[in-house]
Amino acid sequence: MSFSASIITLFPELFPGPLGTSVIGRGMADGLWSLSTTQLRDFATDRHRTVDDTPSGGGAGMVLKPDILARAIDAVSPEGDVRPRLLMSPRGVPLRQARVRELAAGPGAVIVCGRFEGIDQRVIEARGLEEVSIGDYVLAGGEVAAMVLLEAVVRLIPGVLGAAESHADESFENGLLEYPQFTRPQVFEGREIPAVLTSGDHGKVEKWRRAESETLTRTRRPDLLK
Ligand code: SAM
């Protein structure tokens, strides 16, 4: 069974966007994962296809209505669907590689993209939505955030990356940032590739990379070492 992503959004035309190109798009064409989008507005019941209303208690902006979103979720993810239900949200748990790995090993995800001021709290609770943030900044909507999450997840699905594009050494995979990378030419604007990398001594290369990873992590992201 391949990884199945279902997106609930007011802007389905934004998909697949970048998810349709390069290795991620090839993975979809090869059937390693699939993507479907659902227009939230299709679940509105009034003539104007209204999906939002003013915030209870007052304040700026609009809030996505719980009944309409619940109907959309129930249609996309009926009882028995074991996929996690994610809500892209700046208030959510920050997305980390460990969660990305878990999702990639699972059956897929139902992803709700917020807009406006956000979503009525009751539907978050009633449908068990897991709030996920892609960083401490506020986007205009959840669509780009959903693409970020899916791109990170799909590239870990077995077969999506070729052997030549392995991720074992990458940043966050072993709790460290990746070491610096170099390629030819040997000299670029007076800067040489570190001699150890062209020495042919794999043991020394390994040691150098590990030391560089540790130094980079200590200086840039000491929080990862804790
Ligand atoms: N009023 C909300 C708040 O302060 O938390 C922000 C709403 S934002 C303008 C609209 C939608 O964009 C959110 O419902 C969410 O789906 C998405 N979004 C914005 N920033 C995000 C982030 N950092 N991570 C994930 N989703 C985000």
Side-chain angles (χ1 to χ4, degrees), residues 24 30 79 95 144 147 157 163-164 173 184-185 225:
I24 308 293
D30 290 346
E79 234 181 271
L95 184 64
V144 170
M147 288 175 199
I157 293 171
E173 283 296 340
R184 284 180 285 264
L225 297 172

Side-chain angles (χ1 to χ4, degrees), residues 87-91 112-119 132-142 145:
L87 166 64
M88 304 319 297
S89 161
R91 297 187 326 192
V112 177
C113 301
R115 279 275 158 179
F116 318 126
E117 282 316 305
I119 283 157
V132 180
S133 166
I134 64 155
D136 291 346
Y137 37 79
V138 178
L139 305 168

Side-chain angles (χ1 to χ4, degrees), residues 39-210:
Q39 169 56 270
L40 178 61
R41 218 172 272 290
D42 290 347
F43 294 84
T45 47
D46 66 330
R47 210 157 50 88
H48 302 291
R49 307 218 304 156
T50 309
V51 293
D52 55 344
D53 207 337
T54 53
S56 305
M62 299 296 273
V63 176
L64 287 173
K65 290 162 73 63
D67 47 342
I68 292 165
L69 181 53
R71 271 200 296 277
I73 293 170
D74 293 345
V76 167
S77 177
E79 234 181 271
D81 184 356
V82 293
R83 293 175 299 168
R85 295 166 173 173
L86 312 180
L87 166 64
M88 304 319 297
S89 161
R91 297 187 326 192
V93 174
L95 184 64
R96 300 258 181 268
Q97 193 70 6
R99 183 70 182 120
V100 167
R101 264 197 303 270
E102 280 173 8
L103 289 167
V110 176
I111 306 179
V112 177
C113 301
R115 279 275 158 179
F116 318 126
E117 282 316 305
I119 283 157
D120 187 301
Q121 182 63 28
R122 293 167 297 175
V123 68
I124 299 176
E125 292 165 15
R127 292 299 180 273
L129 302 183
E130 171 189 341
E131 294 186 64
V132 180
S133 166
I134 64 155
D136 291 346
Y137 37 79
V138 178
L139 305 168
E143 288 76 10
V144 170
M147 288 175 199
V148 167
L149 180 141
L150 281 176
E151 186 161 319
V153 168
V154 167
R155 64 192 291 285
L156 298 189
I157 293 171
V160 169
L161 292 192
E165 302 152 310
S166 154
H167 44 76
D169 270 2
E170 278 180 337
S171 295
F172 312 114
E173 283 296 340
N174 54 5
L176 296 172
L177 301 180
E178 195 185 56
Y179 45 79
Q181 298 276 16
F182 299 87
T183 188
R184 284 180 285 264
Q186 178 66 28
V187 182
F188 163 69
E189 295 186 353
R191 296 160 195 262
E192 294 220 31
I193 296 176
V196 60
L197 296 180
T198 49
S199 67
D201 184 331
H202 295 304
K204 275 193 187 157
V205 169
E206 202 55 43
K207 236 173 115 186
W208 181 88
R209 285 179 166 169
R210 176 83 197 181

